[in-house]
Amino acid sequence: MMNIMKSVAIICVLGIFFMPRYSESAISCSVVLQDLQPCVSYLTSGSGKPPQTCCDGVQNLAAATTASADKKAACQCIKSVASSVTVKPELAQALASNCGASLPVDASSTVDCTTVG
């Protein structure tokens, strides 16, 4: 009986680790931040093309924000974080296109999230 309970517990723990990252109804801000974290130094003091790790995160985020609820949640998160960091506006506006992706919003504190959908 104890071995069965241990097996069930292990299966439950493994299930948590192997669940799809974006299975929630709306993407969480922590996931958005995780994807965009490699872009922070580029957006604040970089130039030219973003680093590949940044573009990987941008592309992951773009793939995860296809539903309207995800787009709005990502927008609110990006807007909130961008207001506490000074980013170069031209880099924020061009980030997605420079990474070959399409994000619902620019990485900017001035974006209007009510128009995202």
Side-chain angles (χ1 to χ4, degrees), residues 62-114:
T65 53
T66 57
S68 181
D70 291 326
K71 291 176 184 178
K72 288 182 188 226
C75 180
Q76 290 294 337
C77 180
I78 291 169
K79 183 173 183 166
S80 172
V81 172
S83 67
S84 64
V85 178
T86 304
V87 299
K88 293 181 175 181
E90 67 279 5
L91 295 179
Q93 290 173 348
L95 180 63
S97 63
N98 283 341
C99 287
S102 176
L103 288 179
V105 297
D106 295 336
S108 162
S109 62
T110 60
V111 65
D112 182 1
C113 293
T114 62

Side-chain angles (χ1 to χ4, degrees), residues 1-64:
M1 184 67 157
M2 190 62 111
N3 285 337
I4 293 172
M5 291 172 62
K6 285 181 182 178
S7 296
V8 169
I10 290 170
I11 290 170
C12 288
V13 169
L14 290 175
I16 290 170
F17 287 112
F18 292 108
M19 280 190 337
R21 227 169 90 156
Y22 304 109
S23 64
E24 303 151 6
S25 60
I27 194 168
S28 71
C29 193
S30 62
V31 170
V32 174
L33 295 177
Q34 180 181 348
D35 285 338
L36 294 182
Q37 175 60 35
C39 301
V40 172
S41 63
Y42 168 75
L43 290 171
T44 57
S45 60
S47 63
K49 279 205 80 107
Q52 188 59 48
T53 54
C54 171
C55 286
D56 291 344
V58 169
Q59 290 167 354
N60 287 340
L61 184 58

